[in-house]
Amino acid sequence: MKKLSAVQLKQQAAVLAAVEALEQQAIAELPGAVQGWFSLEYEAFPISLLVRLQFATEEALAAAQPQLLVWQKRFSGLMLKKGVILKDMRKHLVFTCMGPED
């Protein structure tokens, strides 16, 4: 694996902080929320950023789905506080039952 540059490390730290904050809020407010995780390609940041909030069951996922837009706005706001503007917030956060290993 290639070593990350200083800029990429800064990007990673900003995303990690925002995802951890969102994950804590989700676990507290959304029944069945398990964890949050992200993937990104540093060469195409922030366009390639995709955050997934994982739910324990399909029922919990279905119950949370109507609130997805609210959570997308929250994540966009968290990233804005870190100095990253997400042009289309709907492309960067999804709810899922799949884990990082799936």
Side-chain angles (χ1 to χ4, degrees):
M1 185 171 182
K2 186 173 106 174
K3 187 175 179 181
L4 299 177
S5 71
V7 171
Q8 291 170 333
L9 289 172
K10 187 176 177 181
Q11 291 170 343
Q12 184 181 40
V15 171
L16 187 59
V19 170
E20 285 177 347
L22 189 76
E23 177 185 51
Q24 290 173 355
Q25 290 176 3
I27 289 172
E29 297 177 30
L30 293 173
V34 177
Q35 67 178 340
W37 49 284
F38 69 94
S39 61
L40 68 99
E41 296 173 23
Y42 292 100
E43 296 79 22
F45 182 80
I47 295 169
S48 65
L49 175 63
L50 179 58
V51 177
R52 297 168 185 90
L53 276 179
Q54 181 182 349
F55 288 84
T57 63
E58 288 289 336
E59 293 78 24
L61 175 63
Q65 203 65 40
Q67 299 177 27
L68 179 58
L69 183 59
V70 172
W71 287 89
Q72 289 169 332
K73 288 179 182 178
R74 283 187 187 185
F75 180 64
S76 182
L78 289 168
M79 289 302 294
L80 187 59
K81 288 180 182 178
K82 299 292 180 185
V84 178
I85 298 172
L86 300 176
K87 292 184 181 180
D88 186 358
M89 65 186 166
R90 289 184 176 97
K91 292 182 179 179
H92 299 286
L93 175 67
V94 295
F95 289 169
T96 184
C97 282
M98 294 174 49
E101 298 83 27
D102 295 340

